[in-house]
Amino acid sequence: MVGAGTGVWKLVRGVRQLELHRLILALIVFCLLSMAFLAYYVSNSPKIKEAPPLPFSDCGGGGGGLSAGASTGGTGGGAGGQRAPLFLPPRQGRLRPIKAVDNSRTEPVVLVFVESIYSQLGQEIVAILESSRFRYRTEIAPGKGDMPTLTERNRGRYALVIYENVLKYVNLDAWNRDLLDKYCAEYGVGVIGFFKANENSLLSAQLKGFPLFLHSHLGLRDYRINPNAPLLYITRPNQVEQGPLPGEDWTIFQSNHSTYEPVLLASTKSSEALTHLGSGPLRALHATVVQDLGLHDGIQRVLFGNNLNYWLHKLVFVDAIAYLTGKRLCLSLERHILVDVDDIFVGKEGTRMKVSDVEALLNTQNKLRTLVPNFTFNLGFSGKFYHTGTDEEDRGDDMLLRHRKEFWWFPHMWSHMQPHLFHNVSVLAEQMRLNMLFAQEHGIPTDLGYAVAPHHSGVYPVHSQLYEAWKSVWDIRVTSTEEYPHLRPARYRRGFIHSSIQVLPRQTCGLFTHTIFYNEYPGGSKELDKSIRGGELFLTVLLNPISIFMTHLSNYGNDRLGLYTFESLVKFVQCWTNLRLQTLPPVQLAEKYFQIFPEERDPLWQNPCHDKRHKDIWSKEKTCDRLPKFLVIGPQKTGTTALHSFLSLHPAITSSFPSPVTFEEIQFFSGPNYDNGIDWYMDFFPFPSNVSTDFMFEKSANYFDTDVAPKRAAALLPRAKILAVLINPSDRAYSWYQHQRAHQDPAALNNSFHGVVTAGPAAPRDLLTLQRRCLKPGAYSTHLERWLQHYQPNQLHIVDGSLLRSNPALVMEGIQRFLGVTPIFNYTQALTYDESKGFWCQRVEGGRPRCLGKSKGRKYLEMTPESRAFLAEHYREHNMDLLRLLNRLGQPLPSWLREELQSTSWS
């Protein structure tokens, strides 16, 4: 019985365990099904849409996406707190005469002393100077040692001096400090200095040599602007930035001397911080930025008690530069902004504008017009995508068109394809005509003269078919791109003009096609607000007189971040600055831009293959392999044509195709041919059969002494090697004169050579032109130094022109080794001397010579001793400079230079 009972019990227990397992398995299946259903529901049901963020209120609450009804009051920290106006009374009993800044006897260049080339503050200083297009020079701050040369020919070389670390300035050795202070006082040059406390900084100390005390390692709050500070220009002083300032390493300045005027002031965070400041109320104001009016030693200065990390410091720094240079380094208060809304009909369902979004767009545009004269959203369209959303979004498209005359409109491509993919102008133009037909059918205005290519394709690097089609179909006169010369850093973006179309730089504003919701902004919504409130977006407006901002359709649906961003930005700019914002149509905007920056009219072509983004939007039918590996730059009448013919004999070296106008010379980097663009230039070169071993080159002898040629060549061919052929400059001048006589130049025919080179400044213009072309190229060191500003010394090879004439095989062997070309070609067998011509020529079948044309190797009378003596004296210093340059480069002296220097020394 016991055994039977035990068996029954085991059976019951097994059944129960089986049921428990089944129950657990059923629960697992139920959970999985529930999760799958929930995922499906979440992904397919519409989101519960939150109210779009509210833009910042007028010089009040921080906005920052506060929902309707949320409080903006209180004294809480950070950007969200309410700001109260500040009116600081002027100090009683101090009538301080301020000496007007006059540094007109200086060049408009800033001298920046940095701690190292990698220091963060130094890089921020340089970034602001570059963004403002101010010329500057950086030097490692000397503790001891030589100060850079400050004057040249009774003019100051610098209009402003900036020290990243003001202690390096005050602790200069006596000699250099006296030298710098005398320069600043005599030439009216101011000094900007920064003091950033570190772990070794004293809590309190007197600034050496100044009646000024520093108190460091402080936590501060509630930043204020002193309206009495003379340097204020852009900065508007009626605001208080409430809340704690970032960090506990602030420095304040104290002084009883009347030369110091506070610029920015703040309160300490706590009473503990005041123990080394003496007695005073907790909320007493302390100066963190002071302006030295020059009443102490005649030198005006601005000193910062921290770095440039805080946005208000950047604003005051820009004002300090303007004030201390007498507004020579300063932009006007006018700022022009244009907001482009790209792809107004292009977008996935759920990202497009609905009727309510269009209403909000119109309302915001009307509000902004009260703040920014003529403000108008500029809408870009690709007609193929009209009515491709949901029914609700299609109604939004219709409403846009009903109010089409309220906006400006510009075309993209009909199907939003990238123009560089079209190699046939006719096909590209047909795509544009489809878009034009759509515009005409829907009454969209098309007279703006402005267009933007999808993804900036074809604008830069230039796709010539795009420019041609734009002009023929739309009569486009203006476009914009973020790609010239490169996307990043943005401060380097510039404009240019090509094929009569003005290309303006375009700016991003932190909004992209995927930035749709405020709370899902990359890095958090605070990143967007930070950009608006003194960050990247604010600085873009501050440092650029003209800004075209790129936004997208998706930024105006859902949370309408485009509206939030620009309404907030405009209000913030007007709260904190005196800038006058306005909007102009693109053609007028382009005219304004090139009035401000006329030097940007001419482009600087760069190699598309050196930038991955550029290569991606460059035609696949083009290749950078069709660019030369070396250049023969001249100068003229030194034997460059002979060198060209000798190089062309080498089996691995290929010359450019001849030009129907300039023969063996392309003359691309030196004149109007440059405007034709790199496609035109590359057409002069074949496709290499072997990229690594084939050496293509071009010879243009006027590159040598053309001012812009080195910069242009280095931009497109930064790795190219450079060959220059030098002969006695006196002989070169005489040869050019005879060359012009042979070409019937009246100035050469009617004047002797001596009369040409000795002509005075009152001589006829044509005579002075001939004189300049005779004499200027012979200042060899001057022109070589210009090339060495853009190329490394190991990229430059000086060819001895005299030796090239007498022993070309030896010269060509040296050139081959310099180029690294293989195999080494035997020029001894390839060349033969022609007695009748008087120089070496190509040896052809039967040992006969094949020489250059009749124009080469002309015979003419010897130069008169009188003229040679005059030129020897004229070129004496130039030849000495060439000697020093070649010694510095480690290059051998040409035989003619040794002879000339010996002859001049003997004389």
Side-chain angles (χ1 to χ4, degrees):
M1 288 295 294
V2 174
T6 303
V8 171
W9 168 246
K10 287 182 179 179
L11 179 63
V12 171
R13 187 174 62 180
V15 170
R16 286 179 176 175
Q17 287 179 342
L18 182 62
E19 290 176 350
L20 181 62
H21 289 161
R22 286 177 176 172
L23 179 62
I24 292 173
L25 182 61
L27 286 173
I28 292 173
V29 171
F30 175 77
C31 289
L32 290 174
L33 290 173
S34 299
M35 290 172 64
F37 176 78
L38 181 62
Y40 174 81
Y41 176 79
V42 169
S43 62
N44 287 276
S45 62
K47 291 187 178 182
I48 300 175
K49 184 176 178 180
E50 299 178 2
L54 297 179
F56 302 152
S57 59
D58 296 335
C59 298
L66 293 173
S67 59
S71 171
T72 60
T75 58
Q82 181 78 20
R83 303 186 198 92
L86 168 71
F87 300 95
L88 291 179
R91 299 183 190 179
Q92 300 298 320
R94 291 190 183 181
L95 296 176
R96 291 162 294 171
I98 303 172
K99 184 180 178 181
V101 174
D102 179 16
N103 54 21
S104 57
R105 293 191 299 129
T106 65
E107 296 299 316
V109 181
V110 181
L111 177 59
V112 184
F113 287 106
V114 297
E115 294 286 86
S116 77
I117 60 175
Y118 305 108
S119 59
Q120 179 182 351
L121 177 55
Q123 292 178 3
E124 289 178 347
I125 292 169
V126 166
I128 290 177
L129 295 175
E130 289 179 339
S131 297
S132 306
R133 294 167 169 84
F134 298 155
R135 292 162 54 202
Y136 68 93
R137 174 180 173 181
T138 56
E139 292 278 348
I140 304 300
K144 295 181 179 179
D146 292 336
M147 181 70 59
T149 304
L150 300 175
T151 61
E152 185 175 15
R153 297 172 184 167
N154 294 322
R155 279 188 64 81
R157 300 182 68 181
Y158 308 102
L160 177 65
V161 178
I162 299 176
Y163 269 89
E164 177 188 359
N165 183 352
V166 73
L167 295 184
K168 289 291 180 73
Y169 169 56
V170 301
N171 292 323
L172 276 172
D173 62 83
W175 171 267
N176 281 321
R177 176 62 186 277
D178 186 56
L179 184 70
L180 181 58
D181 283 354
K182 283 182 177 178
Y183 170 77
C184 290
E186 180 178 352
Y187 289 89
V189 174
V191 177
I192 297 176
F194 296 86
F195 180 78
K196 171 72 171 173
N198 57 40
E199 63 274 7
N200 298 319
S201 301
L202 299 174
L203 292 179
S204 296
Q206 183 175 359
L207 196 63
K208 181 180 176 182
F210 295 91
L212 187 66
F213 290 86
L214 282 64
H215 305 284
S216 301
H217 296 290
L218 295 174
L220 302 177
R221 63 175 295 117
D222 301 340
Y223 227 165
R224 306 161 188 263
I225 303 166
N226 175 17
N228 301 313
L231 67 77
L232 297 183
Y233 175 56
I234 294 178
T235 308
R236 190 174 181 181
N238 63 345
Q239 294 299 312
V240 179
E241 180 77 324
Q242 289 195 348
L245 302 184
E248 303 290 328
D249 53 358
W250 289 81
T251 296
I252 64 171
F253 302 95
Q254 286 187 335
S255 177
N256 288 323
H257 199 291
S258 61
T259 192
Y260 295 107
E261 180 71 50
V263 181
L264 296 181
L265 306 102
S267 306
T268 53
K269 287 182 182 177
S270 62
S271 57
E272 288 79 5
L274 299 174
T275 54
H276 60 288
L277 300 182
S279 60
L282 173 61
R283 289 299 177 220
L285 297 179
H286 304 285
T288 62
V289 178
V290 294
Q291 179 175 359
D292 182 346
L293 305 177
L295 305 180
H296 172 60
D297 58 4
I299 302 171
Q300 298 201 41
R301 304 175 181 86
V302 178
L303 304 178
F304 289 76
N306 210 303
N307 53 27
L308 287 174
N309 283 349
Y310 195 66
W311 72 268
L312 201 48
H313 278 202
K314 293 185 177 75
L315 183 57
V316 171
F317 178 60
V318 171
D319 275 354
I321 294 172
Y323 182 84
L324 293 177
T325 60
K327 295 189 178 175
R328 294 173 70 203
L329 297 179
C330 175
L331 296 173
S332 77
L333 292 176
E334 286 189 352
R335 295 293 184 274
H336 297 82
I337 61 171
L338 178 65
V339 179
D340 286 352
V341 185
D342 287 0
D343 312 330
I344 197 63
F345 299 127
V346 182
K348 297 178 180 178
E349 291 185 0
T351 67
R352 300 161 67 99
M353 296 176 69
K354 302 171 185 174
V355 169
S356 59
D357 299 319
V358 178
E359 290 172 344
L361 185 72
L362 287 163
N363 290 336
T364 299
Q365 179 171 275
N366 289 332
K367 281 194 287 184
L368 287 176
R369 282 177 174 170
T370 65
L371 304 172
V372 182
N374 207 35
F375 183 89
T376 305
F377 284 108
N378 197 23
L379 311 185
F381 64 95
S382 294
K384 182 178 180 179
F385 298 92
Y386 173 68
H387 272 195
T388 55
T390 64
D391 290 343
E392 193 177 4
E393 290 169 340
D394 288 350
R395 288 193 290 273
D397 288 355
D398 292 336
M399 187 171 184
L400 277 171
L401 292 181
R402 281 199 301 274
H403 294 275
R404 58 191 177 277
K405 293 185 179 179
E406 296 290 323
F407 305 108
W408 292 335
W409 296 80
F410 65 93
H412 296 306
M413 296 289 289
W414 159 254
S415 58
H416 207 255
M417 287 188 67
Q418 296 176 315
H420 78 276
L421 301 176
F422 294 85
H423 308 297
N424 186 296
V425 177
S426 300
V427 177
L428 187 56
E430 183 56 34
Q431 280 280 310
M432 293 182 182
R433 289 190 187 94
L434 290 172
N435 218 21
M436 175 172 278
L437 182 61
F438 168 81
Q440 291 170 345
E441 289 175 349
H442 292 86
I444 296 175
T446 59
D447 56 352
L448 205 60
Y450 177 72
V452 172
H455 307 288
H456 305 283
S457 155
V459 179
Y460 187 82
V462 165
H463 189 58
S464 56
Q465 293 92 327
L466 171 63
Y467 284 75
E468 187 176 340
W470 261 348
K471 289 194 293 185
S472 66
V473 176
W474 292 104
D475 189 25
I476 295 302
R477 289 170 283 165
V478 181
T479 185
S480 63
T481 183
E482 58 184 12
E483 296 294 342
Y484 177 76
H486 299 284
L487 176 67
R488 294 187 181 88
R491 65 179 181 272
Y492 290 158
R493 292 177 195 163
R494 296 293 184 263
F496 67 95
I497 300 176
H498 178 64
S499 191
S500 302
I501 292 180
Q502 301 171 94
V503 183
L504 299 182
R506 214 175 192 214
Q507 307 295 344
T508 53
C509 61
L511 301 180
F512 305 96
T513 53
H514 60 278
T515 47
I516 300 174
F517 299 105
Y518 180 74
N519 291 326
E520 296 178 11
Y521 190 85
S525 58
K526 288 183 179 179
E527 287 300 311
L528 176 60
D529 291 337
K530 179 181 175 182
S531 177
I532 297 168
R533 298 173 53 84
E536 183 177 354
L537 186 53
F538 171 78
L539 291 175
T540 299
V541 174
L542 174 66
L543 301 176
N544 291 279
I546 292 175
S547 299
I548 299 178
F549 289 108
M550 174 180 65
T551 63
H552 301 83
L553 160 71
S554 56
N555 306 138
Y556 297 86
N558 293 290
D559 277 1
R560 305 170 190 157
L561 292 189
L563 305 184
Y564 169 79
T565 295
F566 285 102
E567 187 175 349
S568 299
L569 174 66
V570 167
K571 290 179 178 177
F572 186 82
V573 167
Q574 295 189 339
C575 286
W576 287 96
T577 78
N578 294 313
L579 295 177
R580 298 188 291 267
L581 302 177
Q582 58 181 298
T583 297
L584 289 175
V587 172
Q588 294 175 243
L589 200 63
E591 291 172 356
K592 175 72 71 174
Y593 184 90
F594 288 109
Q595 286 173 6
I596 300 172
F597 303 116
E599 70 281 0
E600 293 184 20
R601 298 175 67 88
D602 295 327
L604 189 66
W605 307 128
Q606 301 191 344
N607 192 317
C609 297
H610 295 166
D611 185 321
K612 184 181 182 302
R613 285 180 60 92
H614 290 175
K615 198 171 181 181
D616 289 343
I617 55 175
W618 201 41
S619 171
K620 303 305 178 187
E621 292 189 352
K622 301 173 185 177
T623 171
C624 298
D625 297 336
R626 292 182 71 188
L627 290 171
K629 288 186 178 179
F630 69 95
L631 303 174
V632 178
I633 62 171
Q636 293 167 309
K637 309 310 295 179
T638 59
T640 55
T641 302
L643 177 59
H644 176 274
S645 68
F646 296 161
L647 287 166
S648 299
L649 298 177
H650 196 294
I653 295 178
T654 305
S655 170
S656 57
F657 300 136
S659 163
V661 179
T662 49
F663 308 106
E664 81 275 9
E665 298 194 352
I666 303 177
Q667 298 183 4
F668 178 67
F669 298 111
S670 56
N673 287 336
Y674 191 73
D675 296 335
N676 296 327
I678 63 172
D679 290 359
W680 180 90
Y681 183 57
M682 289 192 301
D683 283 343
F684 281 92
F685 298 93
F687 287 93
S689 57
N690 188 313
V691 175
S692 59
T693 61
D694 287 2
F695 280 69
M696 292 192 296
F697 81 101
E698 66 126 327
K699 185 271 288 190
S700 294
N702 62 358
Y703 288 170
F704 180 79
D705 56 288
T706 301
D707 292 350
V708 296
K711 182 178 181 180
R712 289 175 171 179
L716 183 61
L717 309 170
R719 299 165 192 163
K721 294 193 174 182
I722 308 299
L723 298 179
V725 185
L726 304 185
I727 65 172
N728 188 314
S730 302
D731 294 333
R732 197 220 70 84
Y734 189 51
S735 180
W736 180 257
Y737 168 78
Q738 295 294 346
H739 174 82
Q740 292 302 96
R741 282 181 63 87
H743 285 77
Q744 303 300 303
D745 180 353
L749 293 173
N750 298 328
N751 294 276
S752 67
F753 177 63
H754 191 74
V756 171
V757 296
T758 60
R765 181 181 298 178
D766 61 341
L767 179 56
L768 292 178
T769 299
L770 176 59
Q771 181 191 66
R772 184 172 62 253
R773 292 307 305 148
C774 284
L775 298 179
K776 178 189 171 187
Y780 294 148
S781 62
T782 300
H783 305 304
L784 289 172
E785 289 282 15
R786 190 186 308 114
W787 281 91
L788 289 168
Q789 290 175 11
H790 301 280
Y791 285 95
Q792 295 299 315
N794 62 4
Q795 291 177 273
L796 174 67
H797 183 72
I798 305 299
V799 176
D800 182 344
S802 298
L803 193 60
L804 178 66
R805 188 180 184 97
S806 62
N807 191 351
L810 179 63
V811 170
M812 296 307 296
E813 182 178 347
I815 290 175
Q816 290 180 83
R817 298 192 186 283
F818 166 71
L819 295 175
V821 64
T822 55
I824 296 295
F825 186 64
N826 188 342
Y827 278 94
T828 303
Q829 296 178 359
L831 301 178
T832 183
Y833 187 76
D834 186 288
E835 296 286 350
S836 62
K837 279 281 190 179
F839 51 74
W840 292 80
C841 305
Q842 178 186 359
R843 185 197 303 269
V844 295
E845 187 178 347
R848 293 180 294 105
R850 176 186 293 165
C851 298
L852 299 174
K854 295 180 180 179
S855 64
K856 302 300 178 182
R858 294 190 189 96
K859 300 283 195 304
Y860 38 77
L861 295 175
E862 288 288 326
M863 189 191 318
T864 64
E866 181 185 24
S867 297
R868 187 168 289 281
F870 174 84
L871 290 175
E873 181 60 29
H874 175 81
Y875 286 119
R876 180 199 300 270
E877 283 303 316
H878 293 295
N879 287 337
M880 288 299 299
D881 289 341
L882 179 62
L883 169 68
R884 287 187 281 268
L885 174 61
L886 294 178
N887 284 337
R888 191 180 87 218
L889 298 178
Q891 297 222 20
L893 301 187
S895 55
W896 63 263
L897 180 58
R898 288 196 300 269
E899 294 169 3
E900 189 70 10
L901 292 173
Q902 289 170 358
S903 171
T904 326
S905 174
W906 180 260
S907 300

